[in-house]
Amino acid sequence: MREQMTDLWPRIEPLLAKVEKPARYIGMERGSQRPTHRPEQVSWLLVYPDTYEIGLPNQGLQVLYEILNERDDAAAERAYAPWIDLEAQLRANSIPLFSVDTHRPAGAFDVLAFNLSAELVYTNLLSCIDLAGVPVRSEERGPDDPIVIAGGHCAFNPEPLADFVDALVMGDGEEAVGEITEVLAAWKRGGRKNREAVLRDLASVPGVYVPAMYDVEYDGQWLRAITPKHPDVPAVVDKRTVADLGEWPYPKHQLVPLVEVVHDRLNVEIFRGCTRGCRFCQAGMITRPVRERPWEQVRTMVRDGLQRSGYDEVALTSLSSADFSGIDGLVADLVNNQEGTGCVGLSLPSLRVDAFTVGLASQIQKVRRTGLTFAPEAGSWRLRQVINKLITEADLYSAVEGAYEQGWRRVKLYFLTGLPTEMDEDTLGIAELGRNVVEIGRRYNKSASCTVSLGGFVPKPHTPFQWFGQNGVEELKRKVFMLKDALPKKSGVQMRWHDPEATFVEGIASRGDRRIGRVIERVWRDGGTFQEWGEHFNFALWMDAMAAEGLDPDWYVTRHRTADEVLPWDHISAGLHKDFLWQDWQSALAEHGLPDCRWTPCYDCGVCTDYALEHVVASAVAPAGGSQGTGQDLSFGAEVPVTLRPRGERSELAGAATGPTHSRKHSAAEGVRQ
Amino acid sequence: MKGSDGIPVRVRFTKLGKVRFVSHRDVARAFERAFRIEQLPMAFTLGFSPRPKVSFGLALGTGHESLTEYLDLELAESVEIDELPARLSAALPEGIDVSGACELADRAVSLQEAVDTVELQLRLVDLDSATLKGVIERALAAESLPITTTRKGRNVVEDLRPAFRSLVVHVDDDGAPVVHTEVNTRPRGLRPADLLLKLRELADRELGAGEDRVLRTHQWIERDGARLEPLEADRATRNATPLRVTSKGLTDDRRDNSGGQDLRPDFTDVEHADADFAAAESTAARRIA
Ligand code: B12
Ligand code: SF4
């Protein structure tokens, strides 16, 4: 029987007095909606499978929440994974997962739609489905059960979740959710009869992957092929891309939580996509090309957003915010034109490492100059060429010098370890950079400090490093402790690192195939939820589950893949040609950098050329002072094998770009010209 | 809040319904945002990290409801005080309604120090009024009511008996028993949760699946033998505007407090008290619904 749309609040309320931070479960945020559900509408429950504090700030779900609620044929509410104390209470009292907006049972919605931001949340996804009273395996669901959908970056390798999720959406969700709604509305009108048929209809929506519509063939341990079961099901599912971010000024009413959350400020997404080409970065690879939001729209969204929310801080988000055309002018404008709202803070996540960035930061942080973060990612120039993060030591030191000189006292440096071709001298290079940074800092301030944050590298699908064998737990630990020894307390450098065991498990899920689903299910059944949380992460559960399923962890994690191997995500496309990725992998091994195609000729990675897309940028000239692939200030260290070719159209644009206007770079045409 | 040019203001608000689960601190943040949404410029502290000048009254436990919460703050510019309740209520979450505001006299004592007593209504699930009456008789007859509680992470034994001035039980319109109590805020505030525990201990009935509810109905400042509502107690005399009906129907003066007579509710006069609490309760019920 379908769950009725009833208000569970009277049953939830007495439980909230017994749990931590009960306000996480009451909804009522400014910007939230309480839709009335009409039977002809498709009701979506948007679920973030981690705690409210982490999930609420997720912009992807907030965007979709608004877009769906603006539609006549849809209504959307939200849910988050209840923390362990409430989950126990709910189970003890037979109360299902509920929406925070109107406290309706999750099972009463037509769609349970999950955001997948990180692999370690997968077990929480199962616990949310189960808590909704829905069978965790797709094949066991009946016509009365909701359709389980997922999207977000991790969907680009859908296979580990293939047994549990009915349909996954690749890429931007803005348009896809509308098309899915139409398919489901038709299904509801027809009396929700045949689940198989509606899944097949979903499979023909562009960007939607329905795992049950595909056969998986193995050859012993090896994956042989993943092929559609029916002729109308696509052999390769291509991602969705909104061509112009300017058409999607969402969220318009960003949710303002009543409890403190991890990212408690207004967010305005200033561009989507990044073509810096860092080879370890899945986000950059799968979100190409660059689509900037028009300047005017950014300003309006900042102004209206602050006014509606009452926030006093705004983050201009993107994958590399300093690359936004005319960012310095925009920042100056926002800092200098604050109408009436008091002290407004501005933050730019994901900044480049150079003096320009420090200049920007000092414009913003006029008073509170406590900490500044840079991400050089690797300890030597050689290795930074391998990963295509072309920051010279001069860049770093001048950025750091600028920061300390202008009053910052703490600098945080992010690094990865376990990168391809990494040798101990590269790892130890991190220590040297850290020590030099402290030395520079002490020239300006006796209490200057530097924190080195070290993450273990996990190769991600749809990147040039997808073939690379990840470092095992022991190897990562060895490197971490080697570095720790090189950075004794007296060095003035503090070091933090990510748990190598968690990195290993992330590796299982990141490049896993369909067989990993059974491992995820086992870990969940054995109580392994909230694996993102250090105190709940349980490595033994994962290893035991792998063993119980007869799967070899090293085969999945530390093994180098070969060129001819079928990868579990080969039938999913982010637009990047596999031979482009392979070529880039070879360039990496040859220590060759690759320029940013926003400012240099297209090298035909496949995205724009195949999807008839183009970069949407206001200025096609590289930003002043920026290095990292722009070819500027790269004299230090070694010769950079990045070639920059002048281009007629580009210089025209550059000439015209005195004030940032919204223009497009026709890279598809250039791709052909190459 | 001395030594600045801001305009000191006191506001009174409710905390009813789902929003009762929001912590004291988070309510403060919601107010800060509400002032910004309404573009009501707050005065800020000086220094490296300027903070708005806001000071809250006695903390209300997370999960408890109230008809009368107060906060003091300083505005950077003068505004129409009469408009404050409606404007702030619109910018605050449902269940937090600003029911009154006044400009504060210079050098008014801070809320935390000024408030002398608070009145509470307690609803204990699964305890009938006969049981509660018995419990209350024993509580009132006892010389001391020791309870082990934690203060700053340490276990301490405290006596609850001196904390309350009155303790009675009534039956509401639906026949449910409600404990009314007036408690002192000094030398140490009584925590309603501790009182609930004690009453349950005396009744020898542990809390089961349900939830005991707490509603703060009044806060009082005593001055020269008179009991004053905090907005009236320290209202600035210059351009004082009498507060009338506010945004969502709560009137400022539910009690007749003209003339400064002793307003201590007479708990022997059940009729009076019940009518008063019934009005308060029906407001609460409406909000929750
Ligand atoms: C804001 C932000 C945060 C915030 C909020 C995160 C959150 N819970 O969402 C905070 C500060 C909490 C955060 C934390 C972390 N972050 Co972060 N974050 C970002 C940032 C800057 C912006 C994200 C954003 O708003 N994007 C815009 C929205 C609209 O896009 P979207 O979420 O992808 O959603 C679209 C589609 O994916 C799709 N979609 C998404 N969900 C769904 C669901 C369905 C059903 C459908 C149909 C479609 C769909 O539709 C949406 C609209 O098109 C990105 C960088 C970036 N620009 O992406 C990094 C980024 C996502 N973060 C990253 C990382 C590594 C982290 C941390 C792990 C950092 C750490 N070490 O702790 C944590 C992880 C926390 C977690 N579990 O999510 C990486 C992810 C790397 C990767 N997966 O390859 C990114 C890409 C930055 C980077 N380059 O390193 N982050
Ligand atoms: S197709 Fe060309 S321009 Fe477009 S992202 Fe790929 S390399 Fe850059």
Side-chain angles (χ1 to χ4, degrees):
Chain A
M1 258 308 287
R2 291 208 65 209
E3 286 251 22
Q4 294 300 303
M5 278 275 187
T6 46
D7 186 352
L8 292 172
W9 178 252
R11 295 178 64 202
I12 298 165
E13 186 175 23
L15 305 182
L16 295 190
K18 298 171 182 160
V19 303
E20 274 178 48
K21 299 194 205 161
R24 298 184 276 192
Y25 310 109
I26 63 172
M28 303 214 301
E29 305 88 343
R30 200 174 173 78
S32 65
Q33 309 194 28
R34 287 184 208 177
T36 47
H37 296 262
R38 297 196 310 273
E40 72 278 12
Q41 283 177 320
V42 175
S43 55
W44 290 68
L45 183 64
L46 304 172
V47 194
Y48 192 91
D50 207 324
T51 60
Y52 181 85
E53 294 94 304
I54 297 180
L56 182 120
N58 181 265
Q59 296 297 293
L61 289 183
Q62 290 200 25
V63 167
L64 303 182
Y65 180 67
E66 289 191 8
I67 289 176
L68 286 166
N69 278 322
E70 280 176 13
R71 291 179 68 99
D72 248 1
D73 57 356
E77 301 199 28
R78 298 162 296 130
Y80 306 88
W83 187 242
I84 292 162
D85 54 358
L86 182 63
E87 181 181 340
Q89 291 282 352
L90 292 176
R91 289 190 187 276
N93 292 281
S94 310
I95 302 172
L97 179 72
F98 53 85
S99 70
V100 295
D101 297 298
T102 68
H103 295 96
R104 277 157 212 259
F109 286 81
D110 298 317
V111 185
L112 298 184
F114 290 89
N115 168 276
L116 304 174
S117 291
E119 291 84 356
L120 290 181
V121 303
Y122 289 177
T123 54
N124 279 18
L125 179 113
L126 301 203
S127 90
C128 287
I129 298 175
D130 182 61
L131 204 50
V134 175
V136 293
R137 293 198 189 183
S138 312
E139 63 189 19
E140 285 163 20
R141 289 179 202 136
D144 287 338
D145 290 315
I147 305 284
V148 178
I149 294 182
H153 291 183
C154 292
F156 276 90
N157 176 16
E159 290 307 290
L161 293 176
D163 292 345
F164 319 111
V165 180
D166 298 314
L168 294 106
V169 180
M170 305 302 146
D172 296 338
E174 282 87 346
E175 295 160 340
V177 289
E179 294 157 33
I180 293 170
T181 298
E182 280 156 26
V183 169
L184 296 181
W187 178 57
K188 281 187 81 170
R189 281 194 300 275
R192 290 177 74 110
K193 278 194 204 90
N194 188 334
R195 201 174 168 94
E196 161 94 14
V198 73
L199 291 182
R200 192 150 160 188
D201 288 346
L202 283 177
S204 58
V205 174
V208 177
Y209 171 60
V210 179
M213 297 291 138
Y214 295 79
D215 285 318
V216 184
E217 272 173 75
Y218 299 98
D219 183 357
Q221 213 171 14
W222 302 89
L223 183 64
R224 170 95 67 59
I226 300 184
T227 42
K229 286 182 177 158
H230 312 286
D232 52 326
V233 173
V236 172
V237 177
D238 282 296
K239 73 162 177 184
R240 297 298 294 265
T241 310
V242 297
D244 185 354
L245 205 56
E247 286 172 16
W248 301 95
Y250 294 92
K252 293 173 181 164
H253 299 267
Q254 190 185 296
L255 297 167
V256 187
L258 290 165
V259 290
E260 228 167 316
V261 298
V262 288
H263 197 70
D264 215 352
R265 52 184 79 103
L266 181 73
N267 289 295
V268 174
E269 190 186 14
I270 55 175
F271 66 86
R272 200 172 284 175
C274 175
T275 39
R276 284 281 180 183
C278 302
R279 291 175 174 130
F280 55 86
C281 179
Q282 184 190 40
M285 292 290 164
I286 62 176
T287 58
R288 293 172 173 219
V290 173
R291 290 146 289 151
E292 286 184 359
R293 197 180 284 293
W295 238 65
E296 249 335 293
Q297 193 177 67
V298 172
R299 288 174 45 175
T300 317
M301 286 176 75
V302 170
R303 197 186 52 229
D304 294 355
L306 288 172
Q307 217 279 307
R308 284 173 183 156
S309 64
Y311 271 128
D312 61 351
E313 188 179 351
V314 53
L316 302 180
T317 62
S318 74
L319 286 166
S320 179
S321 294
D323 288 342
F324 183 75
S325 302
I327 183 73
D328 39 355
L330 177 67
V331 163
D333 187 67
L334 293 176
V335 171
N336 299 327
N337 299 314
Q338 299 177 356
E339 292 147 35
T341 29
C343 332
V344 173
L346 194 64
S347 73
L348 298 176
S350 321
L351 283 178
R352 298 190 314 251
V353 186
D354 53 40
F356 176 73
T357 296
V358 176
L360 268 187
S362 56
Q363 260 196 66
I364 296 166
Q365 290 183 304
K366 290 227 163 70
V367 271
R368 259 176 293 178
R369 291 189 178 163
T370 43
L372 204 57
T373 302
F374 298 112
E377 308 287 4
S380 72
W381 171 246
R382 185 197 69 80
L383 193 54
R384 289 195 293 275
Q385 284 173 296
V386 170
I387 64 174
N388 207 38
K389 184 104 188 184
L390 302 175
I391 300 162
T392 63
E393 285 181 25
D395 286 332
L396 177 65
Y397 295 145
S398 71
V400 163
E401 176 136 22
Y404 287 121
E405 189 181 41
Q406 294 180 50
W408 272 278
R409 279 166 296 151
R410 232 177 329 119
V411 166
K412 195 166 179 184
L413 301 176
Y414 272 91
F415 291 97
L416 288 169
T417 186
L419 289 163
T421 78
E422 183 179 54
M423 290 180 294
D424 286 356
E425 63 197 57
D426 301 307
T427 316
L428 290 169
I430 296 173
E432 172 147 3
L433 288 179
R435 281 192 300 264
N436 291 342
V437 164
V438 169
E439 199 193 301
I440 295 172
R442 298 262 155 102
R443 279 184 230 146
Y444 296 92
N445 187 326
K446 278 202 200 75
S447 66
S449 73
C450 169
T451 304
V452 161
S453 173
L454 194 63
F457 171 59
V458 179
K460 296 280 161 109
H462 308 280
T463 68
F465 291 170
Q466 64 183 356
W467 289 279
F468 173 65
Q470 184 176 329
N471 281 189
V473 174
E474 290 317 312
E475 177 65 354
L476 280 184
K477 279 188 180 161
R478 187 186 67 79
K479 288 178 178 172
V480 167
F481 291 116
M482 177 177 71
L483 191 56
K484 183 92 191 90
D485 288 343
L487 290 171
K489 214 169 182 162
K490 65 174 181 349
S491 69
V493 182
Q494 282 143 27
M495 190 178 136
R496 292 178 209 291
W497 63 92
H498 193 65
D499 178 2
E501 291 182 340
T503 302
F504 191 86
V505 171
E506 211 184 305
I508 295 177
S510 165
R511 291 186 296 169
D513 54 31
R514 224 172 251 215
R515 292 170 289 196
I516 293 300
R518 296 202 298 265
V519 174
I520 295 167
E521 188 175 339
R522 243 176 219 281
V523 172
W524 164 65
R525 288 200 188 279
D526 291 342
T529 54
F530 290 100
Q531 297 296 286
E532 282 261 281
W533 295 71
E535 71 269 34
H536 291 288
F537 174 71
N538 189 332
F539 188 56
L541 278 185
W542 289 93
M543 291 306 104
D544 292 350
M546 288 293 282
E549 293 298 337
L551 300 172
D552 173 11
D554 281 316
W555 189 83
Y556 281 95
V557 180
T558 60
R559 180 178 60 90
H560 291 295
R561 274 62 166 171
T562 54
D564 55 350
E565 187 172 339
V566 176
L567 301 170
W569 52 90
D570 274 352
H571 58 306
I572 303 295
S573 174
L576 304 151
H577 293 153
K578 200 173 177 184
D579 53 4
F580 160 75
L581 290 175
W582 180 261
Q583 198 50 53
D584 204 34
W585 172 222
Q586 298 311 305
S587 304
L589 296 174
E591 298 168 14
H592 274 254
L594 192 68
D596 189 322
C597 58
R598 194 172 3 182
W599 305 304
T600 61
C602 166
Y603 39 79
D604 193 15
C605 71
V607 179
C608 306
T609 37
D610 282 16
Y611 295 158
L613 290 166
E614 47 201 19
H615 290 296
V616 181
V617 290
S619 159
V621 280
S627 63
Q628 293 180 46
T630 64
Q632 298 178 31
D633 305 324
L634 289 178
S635 49
F636 191 91
E639 193 197 317
V640 190
V642 169
T643 31
L644 292 174
R645 271 159 285 186
R647 203 162 45 183
E649 187 201 349
R650 196 64 56 68
S651 44
E652 254 169 56
L653 267 178
T658 39
T661 49
H662 204 216
S663 60
R664 285 155 187 248
K665 181 197 145 190
H666 295 269
S667 47
E670 280 144 16
V672 174
R673 213 173 53 213
Q674 276 207 316
Chain B
M1 287 193 285
K2 295 167 195 135
S4 86
D5 301 317
I7 300 157
V9 169
R10 176 168 293 168
V11 301
R12 182 184 60 212
F13 61 97
T14 65
K15 190 181 179 194
L16 296 170
K18 290 177 181 172
V19 81
R20 71 192 172 95
F21 290 113
V22 177
S23 72
H24 193 61
R25 201 171 140 258
D26 289 334
V27 169
R29 297 191 320 125
F31 263 98
E32 282 179 31
R33 289 192 300 261
F35 277 93
R36 285 194 294 263
I37 290 168
E38 285 300 313
Q39 309 202 352
L40 295 163
M42 282 178 284
F44 278 79
T45 58
L46 299 171
F48 276 119
S49 39
R51 303 283 316 144
K53 295 187 175 179
V54 184
S55 94
F56 267 76
L58 302 169
L60 181 73
T62 304
H64 297 170
E65 289 178 288
S66 178
L67 295 170
T68 48
E69 292 302 288
Y70 296 88
L71 82 91
D72 289 350
L73 72 136
E74 277 184 33
L75 290 173
E77 293 164 19
S78 88
V79 301
E80 271 302 327
I81 292 283
D82 286 1
E83 289 176 3
L84 267 188
R87 289 178 69 183
L88 287 173
S89 297
L92 285 161
E94 201 178 312
I96 301 186
D97 281 341
V98 175
S99 59
C102 72
E103 213 174 292
L104 211 52
D106 284 340
R107 310 207 176 276
V109 184
S110 83
L111 279 164
Q112 301 236 13
E113 290 168 58
V115 172
D116 296 290
T117 71
V118 303
E119 287 180 46
L120 303 168
Q121 280 185 18
L122 313 175
R123 288 170 175 271
L124 292 90
V125 284
D126 309 329
L127 291 188
D128 57 27
S129 69
T131 313
L132 278 170
K133 283 208 171 91
V135 163
I136 282 171
E137 266 168 38
R138 266 180 286 152
L140 289 171
E143 269 181 15
S144 72
L145 290 170
I147 185 155
T148 308
T149 180
T150 51
R151 297 256 177 200
K152 292 178 183 151
R154 286 177 45 215
N155 277 352
V156 288
V157 178
E158 277 175 17
D159 185 6
L160 297 184
R161 185 61 190 88
F164 52 87
R165 293 192 181 184
S166 66
L167 191 62
V168 285
V169 63
H170 299 297
V171 174
D172 71 8
D173 290 350
D174 301 329
V178 185
V179 175
H180 299 267
T181 179
E182 182 180 10
V183 303
N184 294 319
T185 62
R186 273 182 292 270
R188 192 181 278 125
L190 174 145
R191 281 192 290 205
D194 289 343
L195 183 55
L196 287 171
L197 262 177
K198 194 76 210 173
L199 296 178
R200 287 203 165 272
E201 190 187 304
L202 291 171
D204 198 18
R205 291 277 294 279
E206 278 190 15
L207 180 63
E211 184 196 4
D212 290 339
R213 301 283 294 262
V214 176
L215 173 71
R216 181 141 83 187
T217 57
H218 302 89
Q219 301 194 32
W220 299 111
I221 295 176
E222 288 182 344
R223 225 166 262 163
D224 308 324
R227 173 191 339 235
L228 304 169
E229 193 271 340
L231 285 188
E232 290 310 321
D234 293 309
R235 186 189 290 278
T237 41
R238 70 194 132 98
N239 58 42
T241 29
L243 287 153
R244 291 174 305 271
V245 177
T246 62
S247 65
K248 298 189 184 162
L250 260 188
T251 52
D252 179 50
D253 301 314
R254 283 184 308 278
R255 285 160 193 277
D256 175 15
N257 62 353
S258 54
Q261 78 223 51
D262 188 351
L263 289 164
R264 210 163 300 194
D266 181 3
F267 277 114
T268 54
D269 175 7
V270 175
E271 283 300 310
H272 168 188
D274 263 350
D276 191 43
F277 287 121
E281 290 243 277
S282 74
T283 325
R286 230 180 327 117
R287 298 286 149 65
I288 295 163

